[in-house]
Amino acid sequence: MGKPETAAITNPARRRFLQASGGTAVALSLTQLSGVLSGSYVKSVMAAGKSVQYGGTEDLYRQIWNWDKVSWGSHTNACLPGCCSFHVYVKDGMVWREEQAARNPASNENYPDYNPLGCQKGCSFHANLYGDHRIKYPLRRVGERGSAKWERISWDDALTDIASAIVDGLEEMGSDGFLLDPPHEHAGTVSWAGAQRMNSVIGGVLPDLNVLIGDFYKGIFDTIGKMHTGYSADNLFDAELIFLTYSNWSYTMPAIYHFLTEARYNGTEIVSISPDYNPTSITADYHVPVNQGCDAAFWLGICQVIMADGLVDEAFVKEQTDLPLLVRADNGRYLRQTDVDGGGREDQLYLYDLKAGAIAKAPRATLLFDGEPALEGQFEVTLATGEKVAVTTVYALLKAQINANHTPEQVQQQSGAHPSLTRMLAKKVATKRTCSYIGFSSAKTYHGDLGERALMLAMALSGNWGKPGTGWNTWAMPADHIELMMVMEKTVAEGGLAAFAQMEQALATKLRAEDPEITEELIGVALAKEMTTAMGLVPPAMFLYNHCGYKEAYDNKAWQDPTLKKTFGEYLSEATEQGWWQPHHLRPAPGKHPRVMMITSSNPVRRNRSGAQLLPKHLFPKLKMMFAIEPRMSASALYCDIILPAAWYYEKMDMTVSITANPRFAFIEKAVNPPGECEPEWEIYAAILKRVGEIAAARGLESYGDHFGQRRVYGDLWSRYTMGGKVVTQEQALTEMLAVAEATSILPKGTTLESFRKAGMLQQVSFGTGFMKHLVANDYSPDKPFFSLAWHRDKKITYPTYSRRAQFFLDHPWYIEAGEALPVHKEPPKIGGDHPFVITGGHPRHSIHSLHLNVPELMRLHRAQPVMHVNDKTAARLGMKDGEQVRVYNDFSDFEIMLRTSPTVAPMQVVVYFWENPQFKEWKVYDRLLIGQPKPLHLAGGYEQLRYYLFNGSPGPSTDRGVRVAMEKLPV
């Protein structure tokens, strides 16, 4: 690896000038001149480690716009919309500033463009490169874990220690002995693929990141059988009505917020649904102040008005949804072919055809039906046994339930939304092209799935998806090039894609033999499940329950939905006995713990709800080796035995991902050399695997057993990871990734590393040839706005659900027992105890992610320390004032924080945005008490869309919005 950095005084006169000026004064003057320089940057200049030829402040001013080079840059910390292209300005080997490249034209002349696309976080990122928190050399722990005492060691020693521990773990536990804490795309597309590729080669365990962090929309998944849908930002321009729910675009979408403004100029109305009057609500046309976690009630009120006033789009509902399907009155389940014929398919369901005056099979291969389905009515059916049973439609059951429980007046009591507002908005939804944006906080709310199902019901009743200006945005991205880089055995040139295609075709042949009416999308689901298993991905809630000390919290029935009769653990046992969860989902098995954990582009102590409290106590002591590969020190890295220094943005070659909102890829150039001995992650992973092979050979070890009983050869690990030595370096990995993207039609034909470098930014061409194109279900064109699900509406392609339709009736026995077979409102459980306040949060304005919170320029824009927003009248009633310290607590844990009073916060709500662990007293970070109580109902399986595969399915262990807390004033 790299060699130690040597500092040389290259310009004594410059150093004397800087020293004579005084450190603080120089830091201030340099910062003022450039606008984005940090004190730590100036400290680096003063240390004379870089050659900067300046004699006085006047020279600094004259040369501020003179650069040695300008490079392409971006940041992969996954804030939406992502893909912001920047010019990176380099002088004397250091990055001095960055600014938006503004290379984002409109899809066509009738729509707004994306420029400038970037925010203050991107414009100040370079300060992170030179902060004191950078890790520049390999470090080994001295003393107890978490003592923050280190010694610098060589790369050779570090690799040997890590590889030896990995071999020990594999010999003791097999492949279950290696745990990869789930990495995020924050490190870059290449690193993200590389980390998961490394785990796949080893056969280790990888908790699913997307479910773990709460970016999985269970209600959407349950309704249409998939979650990855979305639209481009310019689709908002075609909407007449936009709902923002669980969302605060002013904070979280600054780069594309202008699309909302321009849509309003175009006549679009905007509705903000939020407990607090947040900064986005200020510019909305309507604010719906719902109680925290009670969105389902509001949306069901919308549905009640649409149905009661005869505003239903019946043609859409009959064709696209399960609402005309028949349900038995005696058992409350769908009428099935096994009921009618005594055999056949269990998932063949029925309609009542008004033309024929008889029941008819609901098509499974298409949404087209040559008849007239009844939406309402009572009918009698003779079963195969000769018994006669009464049946009715899902729509009739739904209408009766909503009329009984969710009139606008009832909704006011349930959610706080005024009846007149509910009625007015319902009529707008039914008559306007309506688009919604569902923020990720929905997935972090205990009953967020019910809110999503109810919202989608309103969109279905009004026909508001699958056409311009409609739909909902979760997130979707063309991912073939990333996912294939995780699993390909050979390069594209050597036939790697062809081998994968053959495997996919063999699976398709097998599945079509079992079900001739299976769709390509369902074949993709089956392939995704197989690849998920092969990559070692596991549902995170079960891992946390079995290995990380969350059992006591998860099994607390007082903190879960009171209609559920069992604890999380009891439901898990039953689901396992049913075969819904297999041993490969529950790796490592309970009582068998991993021995080595790798952390890269991740911070589990900060990221996992209550992780700061539970992980050091329950998981870390079971590990013989914890090591991190990071560019900067983090709360999790502090617990590690070894830390390896990673290169960061601008210090390695990479590319961004393309997220639906902004369908482009930005090139990231290596603008400067990384400091010290930092290396790109792809190359670090390769070096570790190579050393593992060497250590095993030195011990006379040839192979080890994986979870599936197969032997894996130590000597093959490096070769498999590098595709036979063809993909060893970061540049080679990016080159291969581009080759995959070009071959799968994600990027234009002829795309190469050099053409990408020249362009700086590339428009995606399609959603690829794999699974994602079926999930979004629409043809992509760079020349017009994009929206999802058009194939279902226009081509009558079925949905990947049990009913093959958008499904609002889940007749799974567990859902029926819980009273959630149909969308319904439920009061949020008292997670954390019976305390008066509910805590909410989200991404802060000045950071998006906590990454930027220690940048001096951004700290000047806020109080530069953790604050909790509280209603001003509530604070006054409790005798508390703005700026005072308070203790926040519940039955699980506590923390201390400064109070910030505001009339925009709901009376019994408190709001805390992201903050870093070290910013809190005794490092008691606020999310110690958030728990992340998963919903046990989501352990249900054995039903088409109730299944787990990469990024989707299983209970979410991050439901922290609405946790109950109390607070008390601290003595001065």
Side-chain angles (χ1 to χ4, degrees):
M1 293 308 221
K3 297 180 180 179
E5 180 183 48
T6 57
I9 302 176
T10 56
N11 188 346
R14 173 181 60 86
R15 185 175 184 184
R16 285 194 298 273
F17 156 69
L18 292 171
Q19 290 175 333
S21 301
T24 304
V26 171
L28 181 60
S29 63
L30 288 175
T31 302
Q32 289 173 331
L33 282 171
S34 83
V36 290
L37 295 182
S38 68
S40 55
Y41 176 93
V42 177
K43 180 179 177 182
S44 179
V45 175
M46 290 181 65
K50 307 292 180 182
S51 177
V52 186
Q53 302 295 329
Y54 296 130
T57 55
E58 66 279 7
D59 289 341
L60 287 172
Y61 185 81
R62 293 187 188 105
Q63 297 191 44
I64 193 169
W65 302 110
N66 294 330
W67 313 102
D68 295 336
K69 66 176 181 178
V70 181
S71 303
W72 295 114
S74 190
H75 320 94
T76 53
N77 45 284
C79 49
L80 300 178
C83 312
C84 300
S85 182
F86 280 81
H87 289 311
V88 178
Y89 296 86
V90 177
K91 189 174 182 66
D92 297 299
M94 297 183 74
V95 178
W96 280 72
R97 68 179 285 120
E98 55 267 90
E99 56 187 41
Q100 294 99 321
R103 296 181 64 81
N104 301 77
S107 55
N108 66 62
E109 62 182 8
N110 297 315
Y111 293 90
D113 64 22
Y114 284 77
N115 292 321
L117 204 67
C119 65
Q120 77 273 40
K121 278 76 72 176
C123 290
S124 64
F125 176 77
H126 76 276
N128 282 291
L129 297 181
Y130 308 111
D132 294 334
H133 55 275
R134 277 306 297 269
I135 300 168
K136 300 180 181 179
Y137 308 100
L139 301 174
R140 180 162 54 199
R141 171 175 58 86
V142 176
E144 297 296 320
R145 277 185 182 159
S147 63
K149 297 179 180 179
W150 308 95
E151 63 176 349
R152 177 180 168 183
I153 59 174
S154 67
W155 269 99
D156 187 69
D157 287 345
L159 292 174
T160 297
D161 286 358
I162 291 170
S164 297
I166 291 174
V167 173
D168 290 343
L170 296 176
E171 288 297 307
E172 179 184 353
M173 290 280 297
S175 62
D176 283 8
F178 183 81
L179 170 67
L180 172 60
D181 183 77
H184 201 285
E185 197 266 336
H186 294 327
T189 304
V190 171
S191 173
W192 190 27
Q196 298 192 69
R197 181 177 183 83
M198 175 183 174
N199 185 74
S200 179
V201 166
I202 291 176
V205 179
L206 171 59
D208 192 307
L209 174 77
N210 199 60
V211 180
L212 179 62
I213 63 177
D215 285 0
F216 166 59
Y217 296 83
K218 186 68 165 64
I220 295 174
F221 196 71
D222 286 353
T223 304
I224 59 172
K226 52 188 173 183
M227 184 268 291
H228 292 99
T229 57
Y231 48 74
S232 56
D234 49 2
N235 181 60
L236 298 171
F237 207 65
D238 285 326
E240 296 173 308
L241 182 66
I242 298 172
F243 282 90
L244 301 174
T245 181
Y246 287 105
S247 176
N248 182 8
W249 269 36
S250 292
Y251 279 20
T252 60
M253 294 283 205
I256 59 171
Y257 180 85
H258 68 90
F259 281 98
L260 287 179
T261 303
E262 293 178 86
R264 290 191 71 202
Y265 286 144
N266 198 41
T268 303
E269 293 182 296
I270 296 176
V271 183
S272 173
I273 304 175
S274 173
D276 52 322
Y277 192 62
N278 66 45
T280 303
S281 303
I282 294 171
T283 58
D285 295 281
Y286 306 98
H287 174 227
V288 184
V290 296
N291 301 330
Q292 168 60 32
C294 297
D295 295 59
F298 166 73
W299 284 110
L300 291 172
I302 295 286
C303 294
Q304 195 275 337
V305 175
I306 291 175
M307 289 189 289
D309 289 1
L311 300 174
V312 175
D313 185 338
E314 292 192 1
F316 184 89
V317 166
K318 290 178 179 180
E319 178 185 271
Q320 297 286 315
T321 78
D322 71 331
L323 297 185
L325 296 183
L326 297 177
V327 179
R328 292 175 54 164
D330 58 345
N331 64 10
R333 302 196 71 196
Y334 283 124
L335 179 67
R336 292 169 161 82
Q337 187 177 20
T338 49
D339 300 330
V340 176
D341 296 340
R345 294 193 63 91
E346 194 262 354
D347 59 353
Q348 174 60 68
L349 308 180
Y350 287 83
L351 308 157
Y352 189 86
D353 184 2
L354 294 172
K355 285 185 178 181
I359 64 170
K361 292 179 180 178
R364 297 177 66 252
T366 177
L367 292 173
L368 285 173
F369 176 67
D370 187 18
E372 182 60 35
L375 265 186
E376 297 186 78
Q378 295 278 343
F379 313 100
E380 188 177 74
V381 174
T382 302
L383 304 182
T385 60
E387 177 188 2
K388 295 182 183 296
V389 298
V391 295
T392 189
T393 64
V394 174
Y395 183 88
L397 293 174
L398 179 71
K399 185 176 181 180
Q401 177 174 298
I402 290 178
N403 281 338
N405 300 302
H406 300 298
T407 64
E409 286 71 24
Q410 290 170 311
V411 165
Q412 183 177 24
Q413 299 301 313
Q414 296 161 350
S415 73
H418 195 277
S420 63
L421 183 60
T422 300
R423 287 191 170 92
M424 177 189 66
L425 291 175
K427 292 175 181 178
K428 289 180 181 291
V429 170
T431 57
K432 292 179 178 288
R433 290 191 308 276
T434 302
C435 185
S436 60
Y437 181 87
I438 308 172
F440 285 126
S441 285
S442 175
K444 299 172 179 65
T445 299
Y446 190 89
H447 287 310
D449 60 326
L450 293 176
E452 292 159 20
R453 290 172 66 191
L455 181 155
M456 295 174 73
L457 177 61
M459 297 302 108
L461 294 174
S462 57
N464 269 307
W465 76 65
K467 60 183 181 180
T470 67
W472 52 86
N473 193 81
T474 51
W475 61 275
M477 64 183 194
D480 292 355
H481 60 303
I482 302 172
E483 293 173 355
L484 288 169
M485 282 291 287
M486 297 175 183
V487 296
M488 284 169 52
E489 292 289 337
K490 298 179 180 179
T491 64
V492 173
E494 294 178 322
L497 294 183
F500 192 83
Q502 289 173 2
M503 181 182 69
E504 185 175 9
Q505 184 57 47
L507 177 63
T509 301
K510 173 179 176 292
L511 293 175
R512 287 195 178 103
E514 298 170 357
D515 180 5
E517 295 178 307
I518 195 169
T519 63
E520 288 188 43
E521 187 167 20
L522 282 168
I523 292 171
V525 169
L527 180 63
K529 290 196 288 187
E530 289 200 2
M531 296 310 302
T532 298
T533 300
M535 292 169 62
L537 282 148
V538 298
M542 289 78 128
F543 178 81
L544 295 175
Y545 182 86
N546 288 326
H547 301 285
C548 302
Y550 286 77
K551 183 179 187 300
E552 182 178 352
Y554 287 5
D555 284 343
N556 189 333
K557 290 189 71 174
W559 295 354
Q560 70 180 39
D561 176 10
T563 64
L564 300 181
K565 298 180 179 180
K566 305 182 185 73
T567 65
F568 182 90
E570 290 169 340
Y571 278 110
L572 178 58
S573 295
E574 182 178 335
T576 303
E577 291 171 5
Q578 293 280 357
W580 301 338
W581 300 106
Q582 298 289 324
H584 62 263
H585 294 125
L586 305 176
R587 300 176 56 194
K592 296 182 178 180
H593 307 293
R595 290 294 180 259
V596 176
M597 180 167 75
M598 182 174 91
I599 299 173
T600 181
S601 181
S602 178
N603 188 0
V605 169
R606 165 63 187 83
R607 176 204 63 212
N608 288 19
R609 278 57 176 176
S610 302
Q613 181 166 334
L614 295 178
L615 296 183
K617 181 179 179 181
H618 295 280
L619 176 63
F620 296 169
K622 301 167 186 173
L623 301 167
K624 293 185 177 180
M625 165 66 75
M626 289 175 59
F627 69 99
I629 303 170
E630 293 289 346
R632 66 170 191 146
M633 188 60 72
S634 70
S636 299
L638 282 170
Y639 283 99
C640 286
D641 303 301
I642 291 178
I643 308 176
L644 301 178
W648 215 347
Y649 315 140
Y650 312 159
E651 298 171 351
K652 60 185 178 183
M653 195 177 293
D654 213 319
M655 64 186 291
T656 64
V657 297
S658 171
I659 301 294
T660 325
N662 174 33
R664 294 168 172 83
F665 298 89
F667 184 64
I668 302 175
E669 204 166 358
K670 183 178 179 180
V672 294
N673 289 321
E677 298 179 10
C678 297
E679 297 286 347
E681 290 93 341
W682 182 278
E683 297 173 25
I684 296 174
Y685 307 149
I688 291 172
L689 290 176
K690 189 171 187 178
R691 187 59 54 89
V692 166
E694 294 168 351
I695 295 293
R699 295 185 188 180
L701 301 173
E702 182 178 344
S703 64
Y704 62 93
D706 68 16
H707 176 81
F708 304 98
Q710 303 297 313
R711 302 299 297 180
R712 300 202 180 205
V713 178
Y714 284 108
D716 290 347
L717 298 181
W718 178 86
S719 180
R720 290 188 61 195
Y721 176 81
T722 62
M723 302 185 199
K726 303 292 193 308
V727 188
V728 179
T729 68
Q730 178 86 3
E731 182 171 338
Q732 289 171 336
L734 179 58
T735 300
E736 186 62 26
M737 185 173 283
L738 291 173
V740 178
E742 191 257 4
T744 55
S745 302
I746 290 172
L747 288 176
K749 292 298 179 185
T751 295
T752 64
L753 184 64
E754 287 309 311
S755 68
F756 194 10
R757 189 200 310 268
K758 182 177 180 180
M761 174 168 277
L762 293 175
Q763 175 84 44
Q764 77 177 60
V765 177
S766 76
F767 275 93
T769 58
F771 189 30
M772 188 59 71
K773 71 177 183 181
H774 298 292
L775 296 181
V776 297
N778 196 7
D779 297 307
Y780 177 80
S781 171
D783 300 325
K784 60 184 180 181
F786 178 79
F787 54 91
S788 296
L789 307 182
W791 291 353
H792 299 297
R793 185 172 191 136
D794 299 337
K795 299 181 180 181
K796 315 308 177 188
I797 293 175
T798 59
Y799 294 83
T801 63
Y802 185 87
S803 68
R804 300 290 176 95
R805 295 160 169 256
Q807 190 169 337
F808 295 100
F809 181 60
L810 302 173
D811 74 333
H812 189 287
W814 283 17
Y815 278 74
I816 293 174
E817 182 182 75
E820 296 186 26
L822 291 168
V824 66
H825 161 70
K826 283 186 173 183
E827 286 294 319
K830 296 180 179 180
I831 303 172
D834 191 5
H835 299 286
F837 294 96
V838 293
I839 188 169
T840 66
H843 296 268
R845 176 182 181 185
H846 305 294
S847 179
I848 300 293
H849 295 87
S850 55
L851 173 69
H852 306 277
L853 279 170
N854 61 354
V855 176
E857 285 66 37
L858 297 182
M859 291 175 73
R860 294 192 187 105
L861 303 178
H862 58 89
R863 298 195 188 189
Q865 72 176 78
V867 296
M868 182 173 73
H869 304 256
V870 178
N871 180 271
D872 55 345
K873 292 182 179 179
T874 300
R877 176 172 56 82
L878 297 174
M880 299 176 181
K881 297 180 182 178
D882 188 278
E884 291 183 330
Q885 291 290 117
V886 297
R887 174 177 172 261
V888 184
Y889 62 94
N890 61 16
D891 294 354
F892 194 73
S893 189
D894 67 332
F895 64 90
E896 295 180 13
I897 198 167
M898 177 189 283
L899 213 63
R900 182 184 184 278
T901 61
S902 171
T904 64
V905 181
M908 302 310 292
Q909 174 193 26
V910 296
V911 184
V912 183
Y913 294 108
F914 286 172
W915 299 96
E916 291 273 27
N917 302 54
Q919 295 176 294
F920 289 83
K921 182 181 179 181
E922 299 178 357
W923 286 47
K924 289 186 176 181
V925 67
Y926 76 97
D927 55 14
R928 288 166 53 88
L929 55 63
L930 295 185
I931 305 165
Q933 194 81 353
K935 189 172 178 176
L937 182 62
H938 296 166
L939 289 164
Y943 197 92
E944 178 54 52
Q945 63 264 46
L946 305 183
R947 26 100 158 126
Y948 168 70
Y949 61 86
L950 174 67
F951 291 168
N952 296 276
S954 82
S958 56
T959 48
D960 58 356
R961 308 303 197 261
V963 167
R964 295 299 190 98
V965 299
M967 59 181 170
E968 61 185 8
K969 186 176 178 179
L970 290 172
V972 179

